[in-house]
Amino acid sequence: MTNKILNGMAIERNFRFFIIDSKEMVQYLSDVHQTSPVATAALGRQATITAIMGKMLKQNQKLTSIIRGDGPIGQMIVTADDEGHVKATIINPFVDLPLKENGKLDVSRAVGNGELIVSKDLGFPEPYNGVVELVSGEIAEDFTYYFSQSEQVPTAISAGVLVDVDHSIKAAGALIIQVLPNATEEAIIKLEEAFLKMESMTTMLQKMNLEEILSHIFATDFEILAEMNVECVCRCDYDFFIQTLNILNDTDIAEIKEEETVECVCEFCKKKYDVKTADLREIVSK
Ligand code: ZN
C-alpha cells in the first residue's frame, strides 16, 4: 500500500508545499476500524494531514495528533513519523449523522467542540506539545489554526475525503502550503488568488494526478524537490501487551490469572493477541 506525497516550492520559491493522494491509506483505516462515512471523513482528514506533518519532521522523529471533541465521535488519535508510517484510532467509528444541507458529511457535528493536541517526539526527554481549541471541527481549518497559533507558520490547508455510496473511498488527499520567512507581499496575494480559484481536493483528485494538480494551481511556477510515500504500519507485538498488563495492580493481575489466556486487541491495527497469563508477572503474596 502506498500513498504518494510530493514536496516542493512554489511561486518564485516563496512557499513550500506538500501534496498527498491518501486514498489507499484512508481506505485501509476505514476497513480496519469499520468507520461510518462521517467517521471515515473525520479520521481520514486527520490521518492525511498528520501523515504530511510526519514528513515535515527530521530523521527518527515522530508526532501524534489528538482530536478531542465533545461530539459523538469521541477522541481520534493519529501517529506518524518521518519515514511515513502512520497509525490511527477512533473511539466511536460507527457515528451516523444526517448530511448537512449542502449534502456533505457533517464532520463538524461529529467532532464537536474541544481541542487539537499535537505532541512531537523530537528525540528530547520531554515531548513538545501544542494545544489549540478546535475552530470548526472540520479538521483542515483546525490544523490551519494550529500551525498559525502554535508553530507561528502561516499555512493554508485543503484536505478532503470523498466517500462513495458503497462506503468505499472515491478520493482522499490534502495540500498544505506554508509561507516561507522571506515571502513577498506580492507572492502572498498570488497564492491567495490561486487558493480561492482552486476546486476541492477530492474534485481535483478524481480527474488529475498530483503533478497535474500542482500545474493547475501554480501553472509552471513550482518545483518538486522530493517524492515520498506513506503507509499504515503498526508495530504492536505480544510483548507490548505483556508490559501493558503488567502495569495493573496485584488484584487485577490475580483476577486475570484465573484464566489461562486473555484476549487483547490492538486499538490501532485491531490485531488480536491471546496473551498467556502465565507470561504475566508473578504476584508476591503477603
Ligand atoms: Zn497494532
Side-chain angles (χ1 to χ4, degrees), residues 1-4 21-31 169 171-172 230-232:
M1 185 188 71
T2 56
N3 302 274
K4 193 158 98 166
D21 179 343
S22 59
K23 183 179 166 182
E24 284 183 44
M25 179 180 79
V26 177
Q27 183 67 61
Y28 170 86
L29 293 174
S30 162
D31 292 344
I169 310 303
V230 300
E231 59 178 335
C232 286

Side-chain angles (χ1 to χ4, degrees), residues 33-51:
H33 295 283
Q34 297 287 300
T35 44
S36 66
V38 72
T40 305
L43 187 65
R45 288 179 198 172
Q46 183 187 356
T48 299
I49 295 168
T50 308

Side-chain angles (χ1 to χ4, degrees), residues 234-236 266-271 273:
C234 185
R235 293 208 167 94
C236 64
C266 173
E267 62 173 323
F268 289 97
C269 67
K270 299 291 169 191
K271 195 171 163 191
Y273 293 85

Side-chain angles (χ1 to χ4, degrees), residues 60-76:
N60 297 325
Q61 295 183 340
K62 64 178 177 186
L63 67 88
T64 299
S65 73
I66 302 167
I67 291 183
R68 194 179 284 156
D70 61 4
I73 231 168
Q75 185 169 270
M76 300 187 291

Side-chain angles (χ1 to χ4, degrees), residues 10-15 156 177 179 183-198 216-222:
I11 313 184
E12 290 162 3
R13 298 184 151 210
N14 281 280
F15 307 98
I177 302 174
V179 179
T184 63
E185 196 73 18
E186 202 189 336
I188 291 171
I189 292 166
K190 256 190 199 173
L191 177 68
E192 282 169 353
E193 285 171 356
F195 227 71
L196 278 176
K197 275 193 286 178
M198 206 176 89
H216 182 68
I217 301 168
F218 302 119
T220 55
D221 194 359
F222 72 95

Side-chain angles (χ1 to χ4, degrees), residues 173-184:
L175 170 65
I176 297 187
I177 302 174
Q178 295 193 310
V179 179
L180 293 172
N182 53 357
T184 63

